[in-house]
Amino acid sequence: MAVNLKGRSFLTLMDFTPEEIRYMLDLAHDLKAKKRAGIQGHTLEGKNIVMLFEKTSTRTRSSFEVGVLDEGGHPTFIDKNSSQFGKKESVEDSARVFGRMYDGIEYRGSSQKLVEDLAKYSGIPVWNGLTDVDHPTQILADMLTMEEHIAKPLAKCKVVFVGDIRNNMSYAWMYGCAKMGMDFVAYGPEELVNQVDRTILKRVDDVASDTGAVIQVTSDPSALEGADVIYTDIWASMGEEAEIPQKVKMLSPFKVTREMLDMTGNEDVLFMHCLPSFHDFETAMAAEQKELGYDIREVTDEVFRSRNSVVFDEAENRLHTIKAVMVATLGNQN
Ligand code: CP
Ligand code: NVA
């Protein structure tokens, strides 16, 4: 049956079938080609979207904003200091107001329940721009990037996520890999292996048993063997900055290095990262932490800049995939 995502929200990849995810990836490939050809789109003409950011962003904000403008729509940006949302007005009331004025809502913040409530009460498509337990638009961009660089189907690929294996990116990858029948390993310290959410693991294992995916969580470095992708993320996610000392101690052995890439046995292994990244001391936070005695780099500068690294392709693909999500769920035609 033809895929039709009109009117749907995009809260987590767990809500979509493999065919629906395939459809959004194919649409993103097409939209990328259209953008490269300099063709202005019209599929979001007359559509107004609101972008709610309770946490900061570079890529996600830019992608929603440029994406909607590229297709003829109009964005409104609201950050946590510039509306009544969540302070003087409940999520339910705000959602009902946005639903009267806009055609779609992007939300970035901590709570997955909040993004679900926005969808429940607004009556219009809501798109998850990151929560504490998911980052589904990032996974679409990463899959698109893999398809551009790896000459085999996603279902034959192995992704190893290294580092803070109980964060939003690790869980988002579990969901994506389970759905697309991929091999996924969350590789991190033993103490974090035990903190990975068992309810999430049960849910992804149920999906994996249908799709043929394999989802593992381990502290055993032999899991790196045969990886097509080594993926990492910053050690202290937004809101976790006070935990930097413990995180550095715990995660330093999991810094992505050339030696770690070599352990995959795959000289063409891709290094991937959602960004932002600490790979040198050219940021205020990395420099401040260095003064305090903490090296917060989760990857060496050599790997970040190596021929294996596709991090800026991923960043660009945020635009094409986020645009695909908006066009699929809200577009006038596609
Ligand atoms: N990867 C990502 O979500 O980047 P931003 O935080 O800049 O949006
Ligand atoms: N885990 C990171 C992802 C940033 C895109 C965070 O939540 O800050």
Side-chain angles (χ1 to χ4, degrees):
M1 214 165 72
V3 171
N4 181 355
L5 300 178
K6 290 286 153 47
R8 292 267 299 274
S9 283
F10 185 82
L11 308 180
T12 170
L13 287 178
M14 290 296 267
D15 291 342
F16 293 87
T17 65
E19 293 72 28
E20 290 170 339
I21 295 169
R22 178 73 264 151
Y23 173 85
M24 288 185 275
L25 288 171
D26 288 343
L27 182 56
H29 281 293
D30 291 348
L31 289 166
K32 183 168 183 173
K34 185 169 142 186
K35 172 95 176 171
R36 290 272 163 96
I39 300 168
Q40 169 70 43
H42 302 281
T43 62
L44 296 174
E45 260 171 14
K47 305 292 186 189
N48 291 296
I49 70 160
V50 62
M51 302 155 52
L52 305 174
F53 280 83
E54 295 197 304
K55 288 182 173 179
T56 50
S57 168
T58 297
R59 279 144 290 270
T60 310
R61 174 187 175 171
S62 304
S63 298
F64 275 99
E65 197 154 334
V66 174
V68 77
L69 289 165
D70 276 354
E71 288 296 319
H74 185 272
T76 301
F77 175 75
I78 296 181
D79 70 15
K80 72 173 181 200
N81 300 316
S82 60
S83 87
Q84 318 289 14
F85 178 63
K87 294 192 292 286
K88 293 175 83 175
E89 191 163 50
S90 68
V91 173
E92 176 177 346
D93 291 357
S94 298
R96 291 187 193 283
V97 172
F98 291 134
R100 298 290 181 105
M101 298 193 188
Y102 291 97
D103 302 289
I105 301 173
E106 181 279 349
Y107 173 78
R108 166 174 284 201
S110 295
S111 165
Q112 185 72 18
K113 178 167 186 312
L114 196 154
V115 76
E116 289 166 3
D117 283 347
L118 280 174
K120 180 172 162 189
Y121 296 116
S122 66
I124 56 176
V126 173
W127 308 298
N128 183 349
L130 177 146
T131 64
D132 284 348
V133 292
D134 212 336
H135 197 7
T137 61
Q138 180 71 50
I139 299 300
L140 283 187
D142 295 338
M143 288 179 174
L144 191 77
T145 308
M146 286 175 67
E147 292 189 326
E148 291 172 338
H149 288 276
I150 303 176
K152 59 183 176 182
L154 289 174
K156 295 206 181 310
C157 291
K158 175 176 179 178
V159 175
V160 180
F161 180 90
V162 183
D164 184 1
I165 54 177
R166 33 101 284 169
N167 81 2
N168 44 13
M169 279 311 310
S170 179
Y171 291 139
W173 262 118
M174 287 183 199
Y175 298 143
C177 288
K179 285 284 176 178
M180 299 312 273
M182 297 162 68
D183 196 348
F184 176 78
V185 181
Y187 168 56
E190 186 63 42
E191 59 188 293
L192 286 189
V193 168
N194 299 323
Q195 290 176 32
V196 172
D197 189 315
R198 300 293 134 175
T199 310
I200 290 177
L201 282 181
K202 168 81 176 67
R203 288 176 62 214
V204 294
D205 278 344
D206 287 347
V207 173
S209 63
D210 284 341
T211 62
V214 178
I215 309 295
Q216 295 177 68
V217 180
T218 185
S219 57
D220 180 351
S222 69
L224 294 161
E225 285 166 24
D228 295 289
V229 171
I230 297 292
Y231 199 106
T232 197
D233 187 6
I234 51 172
W235 291 340
S237 287
M238 288 179 275
E240 295 182 340
E241 288 73 15
E243 296 170 35
I244 284 175
Q246 305 93 285
K247 290 266 179 125
V248 168
K249 186 160 176 278
M250 181 170 58
L251 292 167
S252 288
F254 295 86
K255 186 191 296 285
V256 178
T257 59
R258 172 54 58 187
E259 291 68 39
M260 187 185 281
L261 297 197
D262 289 345
M263 285 169 73
T264 66
N266 174 8
E267 65 177 22
D268 295 323
V269 63
L270 296 185
F271 170 69
M272 299 183 73
H273 193 308
C274 52
L275 305 183
S277 165
F278 296 116
H279 55 94
D280 55 23
F281 296 103
E282 299 299 316
T283 60
M285 193 182 286
E288 277 163 22
Q289 292 298 329
K290 188 181 180 202
E291 286 292 304
L292 296 170
Y294 302 111
D295 178 351
I296 63 171
R297 293 171 304 166
E298 70 277 358
V299 56
T300 62
D301 201 44
E302 190 270 318
V303 167
F304 187 88
R305 296 176 191 277
S306 70
R307 72 168 191 88
N308 304 81
S309 175
V310 292
V311 297
F312 295 109
D313 290 342
E314 293 173 81
E316 179 191 337
N317 285 337
R318 298 299 307 288
L319 167 63
H320 308 301
T321 44
I322 280 175
K323 195 192 290 180
V325 170
M326 289 191 287
V327 171
T329 55
L330 194 61
N332 295 318
Q333 81 277 336
N334 55 278

